[in-house]
């Protein structure tokens, strides 16, 4: 499964968890490391910088019998946090664009009646 560039990352992760559960129900266990790597490789290309920022040594246990520092659950939490941050940045930039493009209607003179602030479209 590959998340499209303009796809909903949250929905994609939900689908990936469903696939993992279905595999488990069929008797095919997917290790946490394999699931983590599958998630990383299924993200859109615009997530490449995020993926490169992950330390590969965090994906494997430091010593035998220990869990890795970055489990699939922690990775999913990080991805969702980054997705929210990216969405908020988009909303903020759109709001700033609207604010910059807003016109001061009080300085407009109506061509119809000649009054300031009256705008006839």
């Amino acid at each position: 499964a590959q998340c499209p560039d303009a796809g909903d990352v949250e929905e994609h992760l939900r689908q990936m968890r469903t696939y993992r559960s279905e595999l488990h129900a069929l008797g095919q266990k997917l290790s946490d490391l394999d699931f983590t790597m599958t998630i990383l490789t299924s993200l859109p290309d615009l997530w490449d910088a995020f993926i490169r920022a992950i330390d590969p040594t965090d994906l494997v246990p430091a010593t035998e019998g220990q869990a890795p520092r970055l489990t699939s659950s922690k990775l999913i939490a990080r991805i969702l946090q980054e997705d929210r941050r990216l969405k908020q940045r988009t909303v903020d930039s759109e709001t700033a664009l609207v604010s910059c493009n807003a016109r001061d209607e009080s300085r407009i003179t109506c061509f119809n009646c000649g009054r300031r602030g009256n705008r006839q479209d």
Side-chain angles (χ1 to χ4, degrees):
Q2 186 71 33
C3 183
D5 286 336
D8 183 351
V9 172
E10 190 172 346
E11 178 58 34
H12 172 69
L13 292 172
R14 193 175 298 117
Q15 188 64 47
M16 294 294 288
R17 285 188 215 151
T18 301
Y19 291 153
R20 185 180 192 191
S21 295
E22 289 173 358
L23 281 171
H24 185 70
L26 294 170
Q28 295 291 323
K29 288 211 53 144
L30 185 63
S31 74
D32 196 64
L33 176 60
D34 287 341
F35 187 56
T36 299
M37 296 304 291
T38 302
I39 290 170
L40 287 172
T41 58
S42 72
L43 292 173
D45 290 342
L46 76 104
W47 284 78
D48 284 351
F50 175 85
I51 294 167
R52 281 192 303 272
I54 293 174
D55 185 355
T57 61
D58 288 344
L59 301 175
V60 292
T63 59
E64 190 67 33
Q66 287 186 333
R69 283 189 276 180
L70 185 62
T71 62
S72 61
S73 299
K74 289 178 183 177
L75 175 65
I76 289 170
R78 281 189 189 179
I79 292 170
L80 292 173
Q81 182 180 21
E82 179 69 7
D83 186 48
R84 282 187 213 102
R85 189 185 71 77
L86 291 172
K87 286 177 182 175
Q88 185 60 43
R89 183 191 307 169
T90 302
V91 168
D92 290 346
S93 68
E94 288 173 358
T95 302
L97 184 60
V98 169
S99 297
C100 289
N101 290 334
R103 293 188 282 188
D104 183 5
E105 299 288 333
S106 66
R107 298 185 337 171
I108 295 176
T109 303
C110 178
F111 291 112
N112 191 27
C113 68
R115 290 185 310 174
R116 290 189 140 232
N118 185 29
R119 184 170 169 228
Q120 299 285 327
D121 285 331

